[in-house]
Amino acid sequence: MNPALQTTTQAVDTAFYVIFGISGVALVGVAIALVWFAWRYSRKRYPIPLSQKDHNLWLEVVWTAIPTVLVMLMFWYGWEGYLSLRRIPDNAMHIKASARMWSWLFTYDNGKSADKLYVPVGQPVKIELTAVDVLHSFYVPAFRVKRDTVPGMTNWVWFVAEKPGSYDLFCAEYCGVGHSAMVTTVEALPAAEFLSWLTAAAATAADPAARGAELAGQLGCLGCHSVDGSARVGPSLKGVFGAKREVIRNGQKASLIADAAYLARAIREPAAEIADGYPPAMPPYGQLSDNDLRALIAWIESLK
């Protein structure tokens, strides 16, 4: 990493500590002055004022000049920090982030995608932010970055992971009933390990169920459906294949068997038959190819 580069973490932290420090000194100074003046000029001690002065030019100049300097100092560090957040280094890696209810999908320039954000340690990354449905917000506290993803608009953030690790990534804008589950991670890998991950061939191509599990992560299925039997926004997928289901169809209750045809309808047209007891919160996935649809169904069938 370029030692002259000011990372987003450094930019925000520097501004924060300067403003916090000045505010802390001002708080202590004002508190001490308040106590001192309350004691020194107490009406009980001096019922009649000793001085008849109504102003002091130099005192007024000082208490105007010093706060002005402090405020401009805070502005300077805040402005420099903001510019650092908006200046993208020339060697930044480009990654696309797509937000939808209630998941993230990250796509790299070579076409590889993942539901976690993998980045190389020490290299700046530029994240291009888009939203498929409603307003979301890309928020990574560890790197001090937060930016809204707005439907029909492209935003961006950049940051540098200075050491390997796993860092929380949240949606910081309420986006519906599954908002709290819209959580993933930034996986910072050493450069060689990241390159190996980025260039690795998909090992799941020949295994439909494995490909389906990969798609489930990418499409956000696991944000609303568990695989361990627990209920979330939607019903659990464990043991659903071949089981009897109670659904609401055209406003009426109906019973059916969750076979491949039903699961295909549930994925592509979820509003047609809504699982009884659950809200109609699932978006349609009509854009899925037949191969991807079969892979998802194969994965659901494997969840015994």
Side-chain angles (χ1 to χ4, degrees), residues 41 46-56:
Y41 300 106
Y46 301 101
I48 300 176
L50 300 180
S51 173
Q52 300 302 316
K53 289 185 177 181
D54 59 2
H55 75 280
N56 185 305

Side-chain angles (χ1 to χ4, degrees), residues 204-284:
T204 60
D207 185 347
R211 171 60 180 160
E214 184 180 86
L215 283 169
Q218 294 175 0
L219 297 175
C221 305
L222 301 180
C224 297
H225 301 280
S226 75
V227 295
D228 61 2
S230 60
R232 294 184 182 174
V233 177
S236 177
L237 299 178
K238 181 179 181 181
V240 69
F241 190 88
K244 185 178 180 180
R245 307 292 295 174
E246 299 294 328
V247 300
I248 305 298
R249 179 195 297 154
N250 297 324
Q252 302 294 323
K253 283 191 176 183
S255 298
L256 47 75
I257 299 299
D259 56 11
Y262 162 73
L263 292 174
R265 292 194 306 274
I267 294 170
R268 284 184 165 166
E269 302 175 75
E273 295 164 333
I274 302 168
D276 189 23
Y278 293 92
M282 181 171 168

Side-chain angles (χ1 to χ4, degrees), residues 93-111:
M93 171 182 288
H94 177 252
I95 304 171
K96 291 183 179 180
S98 178
R100 67 178 303 154
M101 297 187 290
W102 290 276
S103 66
W104 297 95
L105 179 63
F106 303 100
T107 306
Y108 297 77
D109 287 345
N110 68 347

